[in-house]
Amino acid sequence: MEDNIRLKEQVAELQAAAKQKEEMKFAKGAYHTKDSGPYCQHCWEGDQKAVRLSRVLPNPASEPVTDPEGIVIYSCVYHNAVRVAWPLNPTKFIEKLNSQTHEATGS
């Protein structure tokens, strides 16, 4: 009985990982899904871990950026050398990337 439960859990984990792998797209130096991002390229390609990048510049506490389309620098907590320039609010940017992908593929 316990083996059956454990196997079902493993199958569910594998299905979730396969779905996430299918949804991840790379653009402008980082990975994103259809509705979230940016995620670290090194974390995803090395370990298949979706690690969201954190804003580092301009400093959120001392240099506020109010324009949601203003460009800020994001970095990975595990890979400090990773620096990606994305908008402060990446939602519309991701929508634009998705529409470009659909136009390019004709879907």
Side-chain angles (χ1 to χ4, degrees):
M1 186 74 155
E2 290 178 25
D3 287 342
N4 191 23
I5 292 171
R6 189 173 63 245
L7 286 173
K8 286 182 180 182
E9 290 172 350
Q10 288 176 339
V11 167
E13 289 173 7
L14 289 170
Q15 288 173 333
K19 181 180 179 187
Q20 185 177 37
K21 187 174 183 176
E22 184 179 305
E23 290 178 349
M24 283 293 215
K25 307 293 181 212
F26 185 79
K28 309 294 183 188
Y31 278 89
H32 65 92
T33 64
K34 65 180 180 176
D35 56 4
S36 67
Y39 295 101
C40 178
Q41 174 184 4
H42 298 285
C43 290
W44 180 249
E45 291 177 358
D47 300 321
Q48 298 291 292
K49 292 184 180 178
V51 176
R52 187 180 291 271
L53 299 176
S54 301
R55 177 180 161 194
V56 291
L57 294 172
N59 183 324
S62 63
E63 303 174 76
V65 175
T66 56
D67 177 6
E69 297 197 21
I71 300 297
V72 296
I73 305 298
Y74 293 88
S75 182
C76 177
V77 296
Y78 301 109
H79 301 98
N80 291 330
V82 171
R83 295 284 193 264
V84 177
W86 271 48
L88 176 63
N89 181 352
T91 304
K92 287 185 180 182
F93 181 64
I94 291 171
E95 288 173 1
K96 183 178 178 182
L97 291 173
N98 289 337
S99 69
Q100 291 171 350
T101 301
H102 292 303
E103 290 171 7
T105 60
S107 57

